[in-house]
Amino acid sequence: MNREILRLKNLNSGYADKLILKNISFSVNEGDFISIIGPNGCGKTTLLRSISSELTPESGEIELYGKNLKNCTPGERSRLISFVFSINSKLPDYTIEQFLQLHTFPYDVPFLFKNDEKKISDAVKICGIKNSITSSIRNLSSGEFQLVQLAGACIQNSRFIILDEPVSHLDPRNAQLIMSLLRKLNASGTTIITVLHDLNIALNLPGRILGIRKGRVYFYENAAEIYNKKLTDKLYDIEFTYYRKNNRYFCLNSY
Amino acid sequence: MKKNKLIKYLTAASVLLVSVYFVITSVNFLQPAAFIDLMNYDITFKNVFFNFRIPRIWTAFAIGSALAVSGTVFQALLRNPLADSYTTGVSGGAAFGISLALFTGGGSLSASLYAFGGSILSVVIVYFIQKKFSIFSNVVILAGVALSMIFSSAVMFVYAVSESREVHKAMLWLMGDLSIARYELLPPVFIFIIILSGVLLLYSKHLDIISLGKEYTVTLGISSASIRNIFFCAAVLTSLSVLLGGIIGFIGLMIPHLIRKIFSPKHFILITVSFFCGGIFLAVCDTAGKIAADPFELPAGVMTGFIGGLFFIYSAIRRKS
């Protein structure tokens, strides 16, 4: 059994006067590939923001590699997990290279302006970035930018990456590119947690699926179990059509 | 691409040289020979040049660079291109301090110190607000604006109960008139300005990350302590500029904006270039203000508004088309 690297215990979290996550408990082992699904507004992003410390939990505990997240310094946290958020705001006009250089920050000697160039070129190679690294991140398509963000995450920490809807606004080809890259990383030992909206992607990933409904953990099962018990019906309050072919699970809308 | 870059740097260098020449020769800028003659044979001119002209140029430079650097930093911290050195309500606090000093019958030095005190007061208030709510909340900008409002009411109150002569003096201060600046304050204040700008330069990678937004700032491990340090340095830098020359608008907004477009969005370059460009720009504006309405002097703040505003509109229109 691989060791446990993330554990949430009775987590309650949310915004100023609105509690969104209620009593969330689950754990993730090293090398897992966990996908998180659930209706809009159920608290998926809130969950990620609590793990990233952007939100301070109301109560409950988050343990990272056995250490309480509250006791980690920002620097320690940034060396343990890297995040890929879905960013909607306009970013500064950095080139890909400048953007990636910022991700070496957790390992920089303070105030010494030296970047680990090898790490950067390795990440560019692993993620298969085709654009010239001197092109501006503002001129990239969504798919290209997602690759660049993923390369940034690999530079920051390639052992544990958490992603928020990495393929939601991508075309099928780019979605496949990103998902197969994630599987490749996972096969080489990276632990991955990702929020997904496409059930057909989630059901065919190697790891377990965490279903969140109204701020609570609704299920935390592998794909076969979800398929057999039709758990996603209740999760979204609609009826799906399920079928299975060549060991792949499908879960289709009925409209 | 490479040729473009060369042209860009050549243009920048020549603008720089012309500016320096203009600032030094001032009224004589069309007759360099006359200027050299005066320097060689006219003792009074030489004395005036070294004892008044040069310190004034350095004062303008110090103020301009402080404003440009702090403007750069506030735009990054608040991720708002409309932010500037005064977004924290520093100018409001300074205006109140100046008015109070003149009302109580203080001279120019006490006006400087009151202005500094007033601006530090607003810095401290906004500092604690951002400490409580985080720099990523809009509360910081709102608090700065509200604070400016409160202070400007207080200024109006002071004017309402004071003599018109004092009101005029205070107005000159608020317009950024460098002719009443206190040169003896220059050396220590300038050293502080250089030190604080240097400290902010060390934080340039932090600023690069902060301007990407809250998500990156948190997950790449920028501590809130470093954000507070950056905020504090930039705010004090603004207050120091107030201490030297009152309130001079537009530099903190315009210079970082243009440098970011022309050179680079990386803060190491942004802060360095803004430091020099802001300083030279204010020195040019001050000199131009002296020449434009001879024998009167237009306050430097008026000139930055005129020159800067027109140039800003021009460059904005050009970029759109």
Side-chain angles (χ1 to χ4, degrees), chain A residues 113-178:
Chain A
F113 300 100
K114 223 175 131 204
N115 300 303
D116 192 340
E117 298 298 338
K118 185 170 178 309
K119 229 176 180 176
I120 295 171
S121 59
D122 283 353
V124 167
K125 217 176 289 162
I126 289 171
C127 296
I129 294 173
K130 302 275 189 308
N131 308 72
S132 144
I133 54 168
T134 52
S135 50
S136 164
I137 54 168
R138 279 190 182 169
N139 300 334
L140 301 179
S141 70
S142 312
E144 290 164 343
F145 182 62
Q146 204 59 262
L147 275 184
V148 171
Q149 275 196 297
L150 202 51
C154 289
I155 293 168
Q156 190 189 339
N157 183 340
S158 53
R159 284 176 305 141
F160 193 179
I161 302 178
I162 298 184
L163 306 95
D164 192 4
E165 302 186 18
V167 295
S168 292
H169 46 282
L170 301 187
D171 63 49
R173 187 192 142 82
N174 277 312
Q176 185 178 328
L177 190 69
I178 296 282

Side-chain angles (χ1 to χ4, degrees), chain A residues 49 52-54 74 78 83 85 87 91-94 98-99 101-106 108 111 113 115 149 156, chain B residues 201-209 211-212 214-216 218-224 261 264-268:
Chain A
R49 288 185 196 278
S52 77
S53 296
E54 203 179 313
S78 66
F83 285 83
F85 285 103
I87 303 287
L91 296 176
D93 197 12
Y94 297 140
Q98 289 169 339
F99 179 78
Q101 279 167 353
L102 299 181
H103 289 80
T104 65
F105 181 80
D108 287 351
F111 307 125
F113 300 100
N115 300 303
Q149 275 196 297
Q156 190 189 339
Chain B
L201 195 62
L202 289 179
Y203 277 114
S204 58
K205 196 162 183 177
H206 291 70
L207 286 165
D208 286 341
I209 293 171
S211 49
L212 285 174
K214 187 177 184 182
E215 287 89 355
Y216 285 102
V218 172
T219 57
L220 282 172
I222 306 263
S223 64
S224 30
K261 289 278 176 231
S264 164
K266 292 279 279 183
H267 283 83
F268 192 84

